[in-house]
Amino acid sequence: MSRRAKRIVEGAFVKLLFHKQEQRGMQLIEFETRCVQKGEIHEMVTTTHKEAKSGDVINRVGFLGFAEINCGGVIECGDQVKVDGRAIGNVLGFDECHFPNHYNILITVDETATAAELDLTVESAITFGS
């Protein structure tokens, strides 16, 4: 069995965001996994900081929006992220500046993107896993 064998976590966007920042100051937490529960809402953020590790500051970001988790599971650093079935990047890590309200889930991409640039709509599907 694969070391990374786990359920695909599925969700849907409930609120879209359309801005970017160059000096956001998010910080990756030390943990490489976060358990998520059905019904939770977390913020999806793109970044080009592909080599960042625990404790690093993440400044270059693009905001996709907030997504509701449709099934409980584990989101893990390295998970492939798909939106409406197309791969957009991989989970870099988590920022907890707004926790316990929500996590910022940071997704590595070639160029920071917003909801408009990825043609997202409310209810667009998002998945985490292989």
Side-chain angles (χ1 to χ4, degrees):
M1 181 176 288
S2 169
R3 178 179 161 262
R4 294 178 65 91
K6 66 183 185 80
R7 168 191 271 181
I8 300 295
V9 175
E10 300 174 342
F13 281 90
V14 298
K15 165 75 174 152
L16 303 178
L17 297 173
F18 304 97
H19 60 288
K20 295 180 181 183
Q21 290 186 350
E22 291 291 321
Q23 296 296 319
R24 177 55 181 84
M26 291 183 182
Q27 187 171 20
L28 291 179
I29 63 172
E30 64 183 294
F31 305 108
E32 293 191 3
T33 61
R34 295 286 81 193
C35 295
V36 293
Q37 297 179 38
K38 181 178 180 176
E40 287 182 346
I41 296 175
H42 297 290
E43 189 169 0
M44 306 302 144
V45 182
T46 63
T47 183
T48 57
H49 291 273
K50 292 184 179 187
E51 303 301 320
K53 60 189 181 315
S54 173
D56 285 353
V57 174
I58 305 299
N59 282 316
R60 286 182 315 278
V61 295
F63 295 88
L64 300 180
F66 292 88
E68 180 178 14
I69 304 301
N70 294 337
C71 64
V74 177
I75 297 176
E76 184 172 3
C77 290
D79 277 353
Q80 184 178 61
V81 180
K82 292 182 180 178
V83 174
D84 290 332
R86 75 194 141 124
I88 65 163
N90 296 84
V91 173
L92 174 66
F94 309 90
D95 167 83
E96 60 185 3
C97 68
H98 300 294
F99 190 79
N101 184 278
H102 67 274
Y103 284 111
N104 292 317
I105 300 175
L106 292 138
I107 303 164
T108 60
V109 292
D110 292 330
E111 293 184 36
T112 57
T114 67
E117 292 164 333
L118 293 183
D119 295 321
L120 301 182
T121 61
V122 172
E123 301 298 340
S124 282
I126 186 167
T127 59
F128 303 88
S130 300

